[in-house]
Amino acid sequence: MNLLRFFLLLGTLPLALCRLIIYPHATGAPRSDKFRVFLTRNLLTEESFVYMTSSDHRVKESTSAYPGRTVSWTSFAFDYAPVTVTVHTLRDFRTCTVLPSRYRIACRSQISLGFATFGVGANRTTMSVEFDNDQTGPDKDVTDKLFIFADAPESNVPSKDDRSVLYYDVGMHDLNGQLAIPEGVKEVYLAPGAYVEGGFITTSSHPVTIHGRGVLDARNYTWHDDRFRMAMITMLEGSNHTVEGITLSDPTQFFLHALSDYVTISNVKTLGAWVYNNDGFTLGFGGVITDSFVHANDDSIKLYSSNVTVTRCVIWQAQNGAVFQFGWWPTRTVHFIQVSYVDVIHVDWCTFRGDNCDGISDNDAVFDLAGNTTLFNSSYMTFTEIHVEGYCPRIFNFRFPDEAKGVFADVTFQNLQIDSQYNPNRLIYNVIAGSGKAGRVENWGFLNFVISERCVSDPSKSNFLIGNGSTSNIFFECPEKYQ
């Protein structure tokens, strides 16, 4: 190839690589009547379809669901050059905010026009866009939520003719419950624009990949529908499974229950968690969660297995459950957990409670040990760069039951940041305690643990109750700049 041809080819590469991909949508998919979203790149503006799910149908099934709530969302893909997002709301507003704040995305509002505009410079970005005209605050819900998901372009799209693939193309698909993935099927693909009603369960020993940019939805199934085994996606058989790219909406119970070994969850979004038992992710030995978004109304991430890694996730914790749950099962043998770069953009335990937030459940904490676990053998865990935005009434509720035995040891929390916990009218404490000599919590280190912009060096001054008779070597250290 001569130099002229080389430079001509080089000059065309950015145009070829700089893609903005607007996903199609199925005729009949539920469209939002709250928001419209437009995407602009290189002076070209296109509309991105906005889906919506509502809480109203769940109110008839469970007292834990509150009426009049909606979640709207849209997804698109791009690479390299940034994209400008414009949101049109049906109600006027004065200010808008894009969370997580770590993204540092400035939202610009056009007063009296109902438009919000901001730039997205990187894909694999999951955003909540919030407006001051909604009922935001420590005791009020965001009535109409809007999530925007910027994906990376797909790779490894399978052929429709491959007999080892269940291929769901653009359109509406009803599985009549949870489909048992047949023997010999290695991939389940939800194409962009596929809207699949139902769920999946693994049945074979070989690895299965469930992926794509489509939607898996269960809004037309009843809460605790007996056609589902625990979750929308259940992976108890086989190992080395992968779930990537899809959106899970309005579950009957859990979103994804994957106790098989070595399951990888990447760029998965869960939303429309209206009722209790709408847990997020459960993983088995060697599981990995990356670049995912969790809107859960029970435990968001259950850390029940060893050698689990969680990184670069965004969590909206609704009215019930823990962000990270360690309890419930009778025994807990877990080692080598690594959690890093997690943004908790809301905790809603006090929502709808008014001034009665003292009565939140024992299950409600960022780090929680609920249920009646009576035998522990757990150690070597690190939690790094965890940020909880807004008001958080309780960070730790980690108390062994009275009859529990064993040890939970060698846990490090580094750069844990809580925006606010101060409220003099509420007596909710951060608890770390074993159960006397038989059940011990040992060697927990807090390095640069910041609450309300102050590093905690003395836990007694930060609403902590530490069981001195059942714990040892629980220490807090601050960098010199905080001392």
Side-chain angles (χ1 to χ4, degrees), residues 400-420:
F400 284 16
D402 291 342
E403 66 275 23
K405 299 179 180 179
V407 64
F408 206 116
D410 303 306
V411 182
T412 300
F413 300 89
Q414 185 168 4
N415 297 337
L416 174 59
Q417 179 183 345
I418 312 297
D419 280 0
S420 172

Side-chain angles (χ1 to χ4, degrees), residues 93-393:
F93 63 93
R94 297 191 62 83
T95 61
C96 55
T97 303
V98 178
L99 298 179
S101 59
R102 175 175 54 85
Y103 293 158
R104 300 184 184 276
I105 295 177
C107 186
R108 302 179 299 278
S109 59
Q110 299 182 36
I111 305 301
S112 300
L113 295 178
F115 287 95
T117 303
F118 54 90
V120 180
N123 54 35
R124 296 184 179 88
T125 302
T126 59
M127 295 157 281
S128 173
V129 186
E130 302 174 19
F131 303 90
D132 66 332
N133 63 0
D134 211 329
Q135 296 181 351
T136 56
D139 294 322
K140 296 181 179 179
D141 191 25
V142 179
T143 305
D144 297 314
K145 301 174 177 64
L146 173 62
F147 302 138
I148 295 180
F149 306 125
D151 296 325
E154 285 188 277
S155 60
N156 301 319
V157 175
S159 168
K160 297 180 183 180
D161 300 324
D162 189 335
R163 294 186 178 182
S164 69
V165 177
L166 291 181
Y167 194 111
Y168 296 94
D169 210 341
V170 179
M172 303 290 291
H173 308 268
D174 189 352
L175 303 182
N176 191 30
Q178 189 177 45
L179 177 69
I181 299 173
E183 181 77 33
V185 170
K186 297 180 180 180
E187 286 186 64
V188 178
Y189 180 68
L190 279 61
Y195 200 91
V196 181
E197 297 179 302
F200 299 100
I201 183 170
T202 58
T203 59
S204 302
S205 60
H206 65 262
V208 174
T209 296
I210 302 174
H211 66 127
R213 297 294 184 263
V215 176
L216 187 64
D217 177 75
R219 75 190 191 285
N220 290 329
Y221 298 93
T222 59
W223 185 45
H224 289 185
D225 193 305
D226 60 11
R227 288 172 289 180
F228 292 77
R229 185 176 178 183
M230 186 67 75
M232 294 179 71
I233 297 178
T234 304
M235 292 177 161
L236 302 178
E237 302 294 332
S239 63
N240 293 281
H241 303 307
T242 298
V243 185
E244 188 274 331
I246 64 174
T247 299
L248 282 65
S249 171
D250 207 333
T252 64
Q253 197 169 343
F254 288 17
F255 283 100
L256 206 162
H257 187 60
L259 284 175
S260 296
D261 292 347
Y262 300 108
V263 172
T264 297
I265 299 170
S266 177
N267 189 30
V268 172
K269 307 92 171 177
T270 74
L271 46 81
W274 304 122
V275 292
Y276 293 174
N277 299 137
N278 284 170
D279 297 65
F281 300 144
T282 309
L283 286 181
F285 181 90
V288 176
I289 306 172
T290 65
D291 300 297
S292 293
F293 177 86
V294 182
H295 172 225
N297 199 355
D298 215 314
D299 303 329
S300 285
I301 297 177
K302 295 177 181 291
L303 296 174
Y304 285 4
S305 305
S306 296
N307 291 74
V308 165
T309 299
V310 179
T311 189
R312 300 188 306 275
C313 291
V314 177
I315 295 174
W316 185 314
Q317 188 66 50
Q319 287 82 27
N320 183 52
V323 177
F324 301 105
Q325 179 61 255
F326 298 85
W328 289 119
W329 290 3
T331 63
R332 180 60 64 231
T333 301
V334 179
H335 305 284
F336 302 107
I337 301 288
Q338 293 186 337
V339 178
S340 61
Y341 296 98
V342 174
D343 294 282
V344 183
I345 58 174
H346 286 276
V347 290
D348 289 343
W349 306 311
C350 291
T351 302
F352 306 115
R353 290 181 176 271
D355 294 329
N356 189 33
C357 197
D358 291 345
I360 64 174
S361 167
D362 288 343
N363 193 35
D364 299 340
V366 179
F367 301 92
D368 192 78
L369 180 65
N372 194 34
T373 304
T374 56
L375 183 61
F376 291 90
N377 176 18
S378 299
S379 62
Y380 299 112
M381 304 182 189
T382 60
F383 297 86
T384 306
E385 303 293 344
I386 314 295
H387 180 199
V388 182
E389 308 216 30
Y391 173 71
C392 177

